[in-house]
Amino acid sequence: MLVGTAVVGGIIWFADPTTPGGVLPTCPTKSLLHIDCPGCGSLRMMYSLMHGDFGSAVHFNAVGVVAMFFVAAAFVTYTVGLWTGRRIRNWQHWRYAPMVLLAITLAWFVVRNIPIEPFSNLKV
């Protein structure tokens, strides 16, 4: 898993998804339906995070930045649990975590595609 993450990170680092017409594909939802899905801008967000540009990362996908924090926290607690030999409970084990994640994702999908002024800045 760690090797796969490193390979994908290396591809994103060198392919530069912030440059239009690059080698990395665009979001199929955006190209076919012309709407932003909850994951639109994630490659550019990860690229910006890897290069230390937190402001651009939040601009490309704000919910994705928060999700990356939670994924990193889950990875760290899992790894520490393996090292100590005992299971450590984290946010994934909460009873309502899947429903909360689904609600946040659906809300981000809707809010991101509202065509009036404060929300139109969320399009990437």
Side-chain angles (χ1 to χ4, degrees):
M1 183 165 125
L2 193 57
V3 173
T5 303
V7 168
V8 170
I11 290 170
I12 293 171
W13 179 277
F14 291 111
D16 187 11
T18 59
T19 305
V23 295
L24 294 175
T26 59
C27 177
T29 305
K30 188 168 183 94
S31 22
L32 294 175
L33 302 175
H34 304 292
I35 57 174
D36 285 351
C37 73
C40 277
S42 293
L43 286 176
R44 291 173 281 174
M45 179 260 313
M46 287 188 267
Y47 178 83
S48 298
L49 282 177
M50 286 190 274
H51 285 83
D53 191 359
F54 188 74
S56 290
V58 169
H59 168 71
F60 289 130
N61 195 332
V63 173
V65 172
V66 175
M68 291 296 288
F69 169 75
F70 280 109
V71 167
F75 179 74
V76 167
T77 56
Y78 175 74
T79 305
V80 169
L82 285 177
W83 285 340
T84 60
R86 61 188 177 111
R87 187 175 180 184
I88 299 174
R89 292 182 51 87
N90 60 13
W91 65 269
Q92 297 172 351
H93 299 103
W94 296 343
R95 181 177 183 176
Y96 296 108
M99 289 175 275
V100 169
L101 289 174
L102 179 62
I104 290 170
T105 303
L106 290 174
W108 180 240
F109 181 63
V110 170
V111 167
R112 201 168 198 196
N113 289 296
I114 296 175
I116 53 179
E117 182 48 41
F119 305 110
S120 61
N121 291 332
L122 297 174
K123 283 192 163 287
V124 293

PDB file of all heavy atoms in Angstrom, residues 29-64:
ATOM      1  N   THR A  29     -16.766  13.139 -15.032  1.00  0.00           N
ATOM      2  CA  THR A  29     -18.038  13.805 -14.743  1.00  0.00           C
ATOM      3  C   THR A  29     -18.033  15.223 -15.287  1.00  0.00           C
ATOM      4  O   THR A  29     -19.006  15.677 -15.880  1.00  0.00           O
ATOM      5  CB  THR A  29     -18.303  13.830 -13.227  1.00  0.00           C
ATOM      6  OG1 THR A  29     -18.252  12.507 -12.721  1.00  0.00           O
ATOM      7  CG2 THR A  29     -19.653  14.429 -12.910  1.00  0.00           C
ATOM      8  N   LYS A  30     -16.918  15.917 -15.108  1.00  0.00           N
ATOM      9  CA  LYS A  30     -16.818  17.292 -15.593  1.00  0.00           C
ATOM     10  C   LYS A  30     -16.801  17.332 -17.125  1.00  0.00           C
ATOM     11  O   LYS A  30     -17.439  18.181 -17.736  1.00  0.00           O
ATOM     12  CB  LYS A  30     -15.581  17.971 -15.035  1.00  0.00           C
ATOM     13  CG  LYS A  30     -15.527  19.441 -15.357  1.00  0.00           C
ATOM     14  CD  LYS A  30     -14.440  20.098 -14.541  1.00  0.00           C
ATOM     15  CE  LYS A  30     -14.406  21.562 -14.794  1.00  0.00           C
ATOM     16  NZ  LYS A  30     -15.173  22.323 -13.846  1.00  0.00           N
ATOM     17  N   SER A  31     -16.083  16.410 -17.755  1.00  0.00           N
ATOM     18  CA  SER A  31     -16.012  16.456 -19.211  1.00  0.00           C
ATOM     19  C   SER A  31     -17.294  15.990 -19.890  1.00  0.00           C
ATOM     20  O   SER A  31     -17.643  16.489 -20.941  1.00  0.00           O
ATOM     21  CB  SER A  31     -14.843  15.674 -19.770  1.00  0.00           C
ATOM     22  OG  SER A  31     -14.345  14.719 -18.959  1.00  0.00           O
ATOM     23  N   LEU A  32     -18.022  15.055 -19.289  1.00  0.00           N
ATOM     24  CA  LEU A  32     -19.245  14.555 -19.910  1.00  0.00           C
ATOM     25  C   LEU A  32     -20.495  15.351 -19.517  1.00  0.00           C
ATOM     26  O   LEU A  32     -21.333  15.632 -20.359  1.00  0.00           O
ATOM     27  CB  LEU A  32     -19.454  13.084 -19.547  1.00  0.00           C
ATOM     28  CG  LEU A  32     -18.427  12.107 -20.089  1.00  0.00           C
ATOM     29  CD1 LEU A  32     -18.682  10.709 -19.548  1.00  0.00           C
ATOM     30  CD2 LEU A  32     -18.444  12.094 -21.602  1.00  0.00           C
ATOM     31  N   LEU A  33     -20.613  15.706 -18.233  1.00  0.00           N
ATOM     32  CA  LEU A  33     -21.830  16.350 -17.744  1.00  0.00           C
ATOM     33  C   LEU A  33     -21.668  17.846 -17.476  1.00  0.00           C
ATOM     34  O   LEU A  33     -22.643  18.526 -17.176  1.00  0.00           O
ATOM     35  CB  LEU A  33     -22.317  15.656 -16.471  1.00  0.00           C
ATOM     36  CG  LEU A  33     -22.606  14.151 -16.597  1.00  0.00           C
ATOM     37  CD1 LEU A  33     -22.956  13.572 -15.243  1.00  0.00           C
ATOM     38  CD2 LEU A  33     -23.702  13.904 -17.600  1.00  0.00           C
ATOM     39  N   HIS A  34     -20.437  18.333 -17.496  1.00  0.00           N
ATOM     40  CA  HIS A  34     -20.119  19.748 -17.256  1.00  0.00           C
ATOM     41  C   HIS A  34     -20.550  20.227 -15.872  1.00  0.00           C
ATOM     42  O   HIS A  34     -21.002  21.355 -15.707  1.00  0.00           O
ATOM     43  CB  HIS A  34     -20.725  20.633 -18.344  1.00  0.00           C
ATOM     44  CG  HIS A  34     -20.297  20.224 -19.722  1.00  0.00           C
ATOM     45  ND1 HIS A  34     -19.006  20.373 -20.158  1.00  0.00           N
ATOM     46  CD2 HIS A  34     -20.984  19.642 -20.731  1.00  0.00           C
ATOM     47  CE1 HIS A  34     -18.915  19.912 -21.397  1.00  0.00           C
ATOM     48  NE2 HIS A  34     -20.098  19.457 -21.766  1.00  0.00           N
ATOM     49  N   ILE A  35     -20.427  19.340 -14.878  1.00  0.00           N
ATOM     50  CA  ILE A  35     -20.648  19.720 -13.489  1.00  0.00           C
ATOM     51  C   ILE A  35     -19.455  19.232 -12.681  1.00  0.00           C
ATOM     52  O   ILE A  35     -18.731  18.331 -13.101  1.00  0.00           O
ATOM     53  CB  ILE A  35     -21.956  19.121 -12.918  1.00  0.00           C
ATOM     54  CG1 ILE A  35     -21.969  17.603 -13.023  1.00  0.00           C
ATOM     55  CG2 ILE A  35     -23.174  19.725 -13.579  1.00  0.00           C
ATOM     56  CD1 ILE A  35     -23.160  16.936 -12.346  1.00  0.00           C
ATOM     57  N   ASP A  36     -19.243  19.853 -11.529  1.00  0.00           N
ATOM     58  CA  ASP A  36     -18.139  19.445 -10.663  1.00  0.00           C
ATOM     59  C   ASP A  36     -18.611  18.357  -9.708  1.00  0.00           C
ATOM     60  O   ASP A  36     -19.562  18.551  -8.957  1.00  0.00           O
ATOM     61  CB  ASP A  36     -17.626  20.629  -9.855  1.00  0.00           C
ATOM     62  CG  ASP A  36     -16.793  21.584 -10.677  1.00  0.00           C
ATOM     63  OD1 ASP A  36     -16.467  21.238 -11.823  1.00  0.00           O
ATOM     64  OD2 ASP A  36     -16.463  22.675 -10.183  1.00  0.00           O
ATOM     65  N   CYS A  37     -17.943  17.216  -9.735  1.00  0.00           N
ATOM     66  CA  CYS A  37     -18.245  16.156  -8.785  1.00  0.00           C
ATOM     67  C   CYS A  37     -17.519  16.472  -7.469  1.00  0.00           C
ATOM     68  O   CYS A  37     -16.695  17.382  -7.423  1.00  0.00           O
ATOM     69  CB  CYS A  37     -17.822  14.797  -9.354  1.00  0.00           C
ATOM     70  SG  CYS A  37     -16.055  14.507  -9.389  1.00  0.00           S
ATOM     71  N   PRO A  38     -17.790  15.738  -6.387  1.00  0.00           N
ATOM     72  CA  PRO A  38     -17.102  16.023  -5.123  1.00  0.00           C
ATOM     73  C   PRO A  38     -15.585  15.866  -5.207  1.00  0.00           C
ATOM     74  O   PRO A  38     -14.844  16.472  -4.446  1.00  0.00           O
ATOM     75  CB  PRO A  38     -17.694  15.004  -4.159  1.00  0.00           C
ATOM     76  CG  PRO A  38     -18.998  14.622  -4.736  1.00  0.00           C
ATOM     77  CD  PRO A  38     -18.843  14.737  -6.218  1.00  0.00           C
ATOM     78  N   GLY A  39     -15.099  15.065  -6.157  1.00  0.00           N
ATOM     79  CA  GLY A  39     -13.663  14.842  -6.270  1.00  0.00           C
ATOM     80  C   GLY A  39     -12.959  15.734  -7.276  1.00  0.00           C
ATOM     81  O   GLY A  39     -11.736  15.661  -7.412  1.00  0.00           O
ATOM     82  N   CYS A  40     -13.708  16.563  -8.007  1.00  0.00           N
ATOM     83  CA  CYS A  40     -13.076  17.433  -9.010  1.00  0.00           C
ATOM     84  C   CYS A  40     -12.037  18.336  -8.358  1.00  0.00           C
ATOM     85  O   CYS A  40     -12.294  18.947  -7.327  1.00  0.00           O
ATOM     86  CB  CYS A  40     -14.125  18.289  -9.715  1.00  0.00           C
ATOM     87  SG  CYS A  40     -14.953  17.441 -11.062  1.00  0.00           S
ATOM     88  N   GLY A  41     -10.886  18.384  -8.953  1.00  0.00           N
ATOM     89  CA  GLY A  41      -9.789  19.194  -8.434  1.00  0.00           C
ATOM     90  C   GLY A  41      -8.887  18.453  -7.468  1.00  0.00           C
ATOM     91  O   GLY A  41      -7.937  19.027  -6.935  1.00  0.00           O
ATOM     92  N   SER A  42      -9.156  17.168  -7.232  1.00  0.00           N
ATOM     93  CA  SER A  42      -8.370  16.415  -6.248  1.00  0.00           C
ATOM     94  C   SER A  42      -6.919  16.225  -6.674  1.00  0.00           C
ATOM     95  O   SER A  42      -6.013  16.304  -5.833  1.00  0.00           O
ATOM     96  CB  SER A  42      -9.002  15.052  -5.981  1.00  0.00           C
ATOM     97  OG  SER A  42     -10.229  15.213  -5.342  1.00  0.00           O
ATOM     98  N   LEU A  43      -6.669  15.961  -7.953  1.00  0.00           N
ATOM     99  CA  LEU A  43      -5.282  15.821  -8.401  1.00  0.00           C
ATOM    100  C   LEU A  43      -4.527  17.129  -8.214  1.00  0.00           C
ATOM    101  O   LEU A  43      -3.393  17.145  -7.729  1.00  0.00           O
ATOM    102  CB  LEU A  43      -5.230  15.398  -9.875  1.00  0.00           C
ATOM    103  CG  LEU A  43      -5.594  13.963 -10.192  1.00  0.00           C
ATOM    104  CD1 LEU A  43      -5.593  13.738 -11.693  1.00  0.00           C
ATOM    105  CD2 LEU A  43      -4.656  13.013  -9.517  1.00  0.00           C
ATOM    106  N   ARG A  44      -5.160  18.231  -8.580  1.00  0.00           N
ATOM    107  CA  ARG A  44      -4.520  19.540  -8.404  1.00  0.00           C
ATOM    108  C   ARG A  44      -4.359  19.873  -6.928  1.00  0.00           C
ATOM    109  O   ARG A  44      -3.368  20.478  -6.519  1.00  0.00           O
ATOM    110  CB  ARG A  44      -5.331  20.614  -9.125  1.00  0.00           C
ATOM    111  CG  ARG A  44      -5.250  20.446 -10.641  1.00  0.00           C
ATOM    112  CD  ARG A  44      -6.157  21.386 -11.347  1.00  0.00           C
ATOM    113  NE  ARG A  44      -7.511  20.831 -11.264  1.00  0.00           N
ATOM    114  CZ  ARG A  44      -8.593  21.449 -11.679  1.00  0.00           C
ATOM    115  NH1 ARG A  44      -8.509  22.659 -12.179  1.00  0.00           N
ATOM    116  NH2 ARG A  44      -9.765  20.875 -11.595  1.00  0.00           N
ATOM    117  N   MET A  45      -5.323  19.455  -6.098  1.00  0.00           N
ATOM    118  CA  MET A  45      -5.222  19.665  -4.660  1.00  0.00           C
ATOM    119  C   MET A  45      -4.036  18.903  -4.080  1.00  0.00           C
ATOM    120  O   MET A  45      -3.250  19.453  -3.314  1.00  0.00           O
ATOM    121  CB  MET A  45      -6.529  19.217  -3.995  1.00  0.00           C
ATOM    122  CG  MET A  45      -6.566  19.345  -2.484  1.00  0.00           C
ATOM    123  SD  MET A  45      -6.284  17.838  -1.523  1.00  0.00           S
ATOM    124  CE  MET A  45      -7.292  16.630  -2.261  1.00  0.00           C
ATOM    125  N   MET A  46      -3.880  17.638  -4.477  1.00  0.00           N
ATOM    126  CA  MET A  46      -2.748  16.850  -3.976  1.00  0.00           C
ATOM    127  C   MET A  46      -1.416  17.410  -4.458  1.00  0.00           C
ATOM    128  O   MET A  46      -0.450  17.463  -3.702  1.00  0.00           O
ATOM    129  CB  MET A  46      -2.907  15.385  -4.393  1.00  0.00           C
ATOM    130  CG  MET A  46      -3.968  14.669  -3.619  1.00  0.00           C
ATOM    131  SD  MET A  46      -3.991  12.908  -3.939  1.00  0.00           S
ATOM    132  CE  MET A  46      -5.177  12.829  -5.250  1.00  0.00           C
ATOM    133  N   TYR A  47      -1.373  17.846  -5.713  1.00  0.00           N
ATOM    134  CA  TYR A  47      -0.162  18.458  -6.257  1.00  0.00           C
ATOM    135  C   TYR A  47       0.202  19.705  -5.454  1.00  0.00           C
ATOM    136  O   TYR A  47       1.362  19.911  -5.095  1.00  0.00           O
ATOM    137  CB  TYR A  47      -0.379  18.801  -7.733  1.00  0.00           C
ATOM    138  CG  TYR A  47       0.798  19.473  -8.390  1.00  0.00           C
ATOM    139  CD1 TYR A  47       1.862  18.722  -8.877  1.00  0.00           C
ATOM    140  CD2 TYR A  47       0.851  20.853  -8.528  1.00  0.00           C
ATOM    141  CE1 TYR A  47       2.940  19.327  -9.482  1.00  0.00           C
ATOM    142  CE2 TYR A  47       1.920  21.470  -9.133  1.00  0.00           C
ATOM    143  CZ  TYR A  47       2.970  20.704  -9.610  1.00  0.00           C
ATOM    144  OH  TYR A  47       4.042  21.319 -10.198  1.00  0.00           O
ATOM    145  N   SER A  48      -0.790  20.537  -5.160  1.00  0.00           N
ATOM    146  CA  SER A  48      -0.533  21.755  -4.390  1.00  0.00           C
ATOM    147  C   SER A  48      -0.080  21.436  -2.973  1.00  0.00           C
ATOM    148  O   SER A  48       0.821  22.091  -2.437  1.00  0.00           O
ATOM    149  CB  SER A  48      -1.786  22.628  -4.358  1.00  0.00           C
ATOM    150  OG  SER A  48      -2.130  23.036  -5.650  1.00  0.00           O
ATOM    151  N   LEU A  49      -0.692  20.427  -2.346  1.00  0.00           N
ATOM    152  CA  LEU A  49      -0.263  20.028  -1.002  1.00  0.00           C
ATOM    153  C   LEU A  49       1.169  19.510  -1.006  1.00  0.00           C
ATOM    154  O   LEU A  49       1.951  19.822  -0.099  1.00  0.00           O
ATOM    155  CB  LEU A  49      -1.202  18.957  -0.437  1.00  0.00           C
ATOM    156  CG  LEU A  49      -2.541  19.425   0.111  1.00  0.00           C
ATOM    157  CD1 LEU A  49      -3.358  18.224   0.566  1.00  0.00           C
ATOM    158  CD2 LEU A  49      -2.364  20.403   1.247  1.00  0.00           C
ATOM    159  N   MET A  50       1.530  18.720  -2.015  1.00  0.00           N
ATOM    160  CA  MET A  50       2.898  18.196  -2.092  1.00  0.00           C
ATOM    161  C   MET A  50       3.923  19.299  -2.288  1.00  0.00           C
ATOM    162  O   MET A  50       5.066  19.157  -1.890  1.00  0.00           O
ATOM    163  CB  MET A  50       3.011  17.165  -3.216  1.00  0.00           C
ATOM    164  CG  MET A  50       2.362  15.854  -2.887  1.00  0.00           C
ATOM    165  SD  MET A  50       2.759  14.571  -4.087  1.00  0.00           S
ATOM    166  CE  MET A  50       1.532  14.860  -5.322  1.00  0.00           C
ATOM    167  N   HIS A  51       3.503  20.404  -2.897  1.00  0.00           N
ATOM    168  CA  HIS A  51       4.415  21.523  -3.117  1.00  0.00           C
ATOM    169  C   HIS A  51       4.269  22.615  -2.054  1.00  0.00           C
ATOM    170  O   HIS A  51       4.836  23.688  -2.189  1.00  0.00           O
ATOM    171  CB  HIS A  51       4.197  22.103  -4.514  1.00  0.00           C
ATOM    172  CG  HIS A  51       4.765  21.243  -5.582  1.00  0.00           C
ATOM    173  ND1 HIS A  51       4.092  20.157  -6.109  1.00  0.00           N
ATOM    174  CD2 HIS A  51       5.958  21.280  -6.216  1.00  0.00           C
ATOM    175  CE1 HIS A  51       4.843  19.580  -7.017  1.00  0.00           C
ATOM    176  NE2 HIS A  51       5.984  20.226  -7.106  1.00  0.00           N
ATOM    177  N   GLY A  52       3.490  22.350  -1.010  1.00  0.00           N
ATOM    178  CA  GLY A  52       3.375  23.269   0.109  1.00  0.00           C
ATOM    179  C   GLY A  52       2.477  24.467  -0.122  1.00  0.00           C
ATOM    180  O   GLY A  52       2.512  25.415   0.657  1.00  0.00           O
ATOM    181  N   ASP A  53       1.672  24.449  -1.153  1.00  0.00           N
ATOM    182  CA  ASP A  53       0.771  25.566  -1.450  1.00  0.00           C
ATOM    183  C   ASP A  53      -0.612  25.244  -0.898  1.00  0.00           C
ATOM    184  O   ASP A  53      -1.507  24.792  -1.614  1.00  0.00           O
ATOM    185  CB  ASP A  53       0.723  25.809  -2.958  1.00  0.00           C
ATOM    186  CG  ASP A  53       0.025  27.096  -3.320  1.00  0.00           C
ATOM    187  OD1 ASP A  53      -0.442  27.800  -2.398  1.00  0.00           O
ATOM    188  OD2 ASP A  53      -0.057  27.407  -4.516  1.00  0.00           O
ATOM    189  N   PHE A  54      -0.800  25.482   0.399  1.00  0.00           N
ATOM    190  CA  PHE A  54      -2.032  25.115   1.082  1.00  0.00           C
ATOM    191  C   PHE A  54      -3.226  25.921   0.569  1.00  0.00           C
ATOM    192  O   PHE A  54      -4.327  25.388   0.443  1.00  0.00           O
ATOM    193  CB  PHE A  54      -1.866  25.311   2.592  1.00  0.00           C
ATOM    194  CG  PHE A  54      -3.007  24.782   3.394  1.00  0.00           C
ATOM    195  CD1 PHE A  54      -3.176  23.422   3.572  1.00  0.00           C
ATOM    196  CD2 PHE A  54      -3.930  25.647   3.961  1.00  0.00           C
ATOM    197  CE1 PHE A  54      -4.247  22.936   4.306  1.00  0.00           C
ATOM    198  CE2 PHE A  54      -4.999  25.169   4.700  1.00  0.00           C
ATOM    199  CZ  PHE A  54      -5.148  23.809   4.874  1.00  0.00           C
ATOM    200  N   GLY A  55      -3.029  27.192   0.264  1.00  0.00           N
ATOM    201  CA  GLY A  55      -4.115  28.034  -0.241  1.00  0.00           C
ATOM    202  C   GLY A  55      -4.684  27.523  -1.555  1.00  0.00           C
ATOM    203  O   GLY A  55      -5.906  27.478  -1.747  1.00  0.00           O
ATOM    204  N   SER A  56      -3.817  27.142  -2.472  1.00  0.00           N
ATOM    205  CA  SER A  56      -4.282  26.593  -3.747  1.00  0.00           C
ATOM    206  C   SER A  56      -4.967  25.245  -3.546  1.00  0.00           C
ATOM    207  O   SER A  56      -5.949  24.940  -4.219  1.00  0.00           O
ATOM    208  CB  SER A  56      -3.114  26.416  -4.713  1.00  0.00           C
ATOM    209  OG  SER A  56      -2.648  27.659  -5.136  1.00  0.00           O
ATOM    210  N   ALA A  57      -4.446  24.455  -2.621  1.00  0.00           N
ATOM    211  CA  ALA A  57      -5.063  23.153  -2.346  1.00  0.00           C
ATOM    212  C   ALA A  57      -6.491  23.326  -1.856  1.00  0.00           C
ATOM    213  O   ALA A  57      -7.401  22.624  -2.307  1.00  0.00           O
ATOM    214  CB  ALA A  57      -4.234  22.384  -1.322  1.00  0.00           C
ATOM    215  N   VAL A  58      -6.710  24.284  -0.968  1.00  0.00           N
ATOM    216  CA  VAL A  58      -8.057  24.543  -0.460  1.00  0.00           C
ATOM    217  C   VAL A  58      -8.945  25.073  -1.582  1.00  0.00           C
ATOM    218  O   VAL A  58     -10.124  24.727  -1.666  1.00  0.00           O
ATOM    219  CB  VAL A  58      -8.008  25.512   0.733  1.00  0.00           C
ATOM    220  CG1 VAL A  58      -9.388  25.999   1.113  1.00  0.00           C
ATOM    221  CG2 VAL A  58      -7.347  24.844   1.921  1.00  0.00           C
ATOM    222  N   HIS A  59      -8.390  25.885  -2.467  1.00  0.00           N
ATOM    223  CA  HIS A  59      -9.172  26.396  -3.598  1.00  0.00           C
ATOM    224  C   HIS A  59      -9.609  25.266  -4.526  1.00  0.00           C
ATOM    225  O   HIS A  59     -10.749  25.249  -4.985  1.00  0.00           O
ATOM    226  CB  HIS A  59      -8.365  27.423  -4.389  1.00  0.00           C
ATOM    227  CG  HIS A  59      -8.979  27.771  -5.711  1.00  0.00           C
ATOM    228  ND1 HIS A  59     -10.127  28.518  -5.819  1.00  0.00           N
ATOM    229  CD2 HIS A  59      -8.634  27.432  -6.972  1.00  0.00           C
ATOM    230  CE1 HIS A  59     -10.443  28.642  -7.096  1.00  0.00           C
ATOM    231  NE2 HIS A  59      -9.546  27.983  -7.821  1.00  0.00           N
ATOM    232  N   PHE A  60      -8.729  24.323  -4.795  1.00  0.00           N
ATOM    233  CA  PHE A  60      -9.056  23.248  -5.729  1.00  0.00           C
ATOM    234  C   PHE A  60     -10.085  22.278  -5.149  1.00  0.00           C
ATOM    235  O   PHE A  60     -10.976  21.828  -5.866  1.00  0.00           O
ATOM    236  CB  PHE A  60      -7.808  22.491  -6.164  1.00  0.00           C
ATOM    237  CG  PHE A  60      -6.920  23.270  -7.075  1.00  0.00           C
ATOM    238  CD1 PHE A  60      -5.573  23.379  -6.827  1.00  0.00           C
ATOM    239  CD2 PHE A  60      -7.431  23.908  -8.187  1.00  0.00           C
ATOM    240  CE1 PHE A  60      -4.748  24.093  -7.675  1.00  0.00           C
ATOM    241  CE2 PHE A  60      -6.629  24.634  -9.041  1.00  0.00           C
ATOM    242  CZ  PHE A  60      -5.273  24.730  -8.781  1.00  0.00           C
ATOM    243  N   ASN A  61      -9.966  21.903  -3.874  1.00  0.00           N
ATOM    244  CA  ASN A  61     -10.932  20.991  -3.258  1.00  0.00           C
ATOM    245  C   ASN A  61     -10.795  21.082  -1.739  1.00  0.00           C
ATOM    246  O   ASN A  61      -9.987  20.384  -1.135  1.00  0.00           O
ATOM    247  CB  ASN A  61     -10.713  19.563  -3.735  1.00  0.00           C
ATOM    248  CG  ASN A  61     -11.884  18.669  -3.421  1.00  0.00           C
ATOM    249  OD1 ASN A  61     -12.604  18.886  -2.466  1.00  0.00           O
ATOM    250  ND2 ASN A  61     -12.063  17.646  -4.235  1.00  0.00           N
ATOM    251  N   ALA A  62     -11.605  21.936  -1.127  1.00  0.00           N
ATOM    252  CA  ALA A  62     -11.517  22.178   0.313  1.00  0.00           C
ATOM    253  C   ALA A  62     -11.885  20.936   1.126  1.00  0.00           C
ATOM    254  O   ALA A  62     -11.208  20.605   2.108  1.00  0.00           O
ATOM    255  CB  ALA A  62     -12.418  23.348   0.710  1.00  0.00           C
ATOM    256  N   VAL A  63     -12.920  20.247   0.727  1.00  0.00           N
ATOM    257  CA  VAL A  63     -13.321  19.043   1.452  1.00  0.00           C
ATOM    258  C   VAL A  63     -12.267  17.949   1.278  1.00  0.00           C
ATOM    259  O   VAL A  63     -12.013  17.166   2.192  1.00  0.00           O
ATOM    260  CB  VAL A  63     -14.723  18.570   0.996  1.00  0.00           C
ATOM    261  CG1 VAL A  63     -15.098  17.245   1.605  1.00  0.00           C
ATOM    262  CG2 VAL A  63     -15.761  19.616   1.360  1.00  0.00           C
ATOM    263  N   GLY A  64     -11.615  17.925   0.132  1.00  0.00           N
ATOM    264  CA  GLY A  64     -10.545  16.960  -0.100  1.00  0.00           C
ATOM    265  C   GLY A  64      -9.361  17.166   0.836  1.00  0.00           C
ATOM    266  O   GLY A  64      -8.737  16.195   1.271  1.00  0.00           O
TER     267      GLY A  64
END
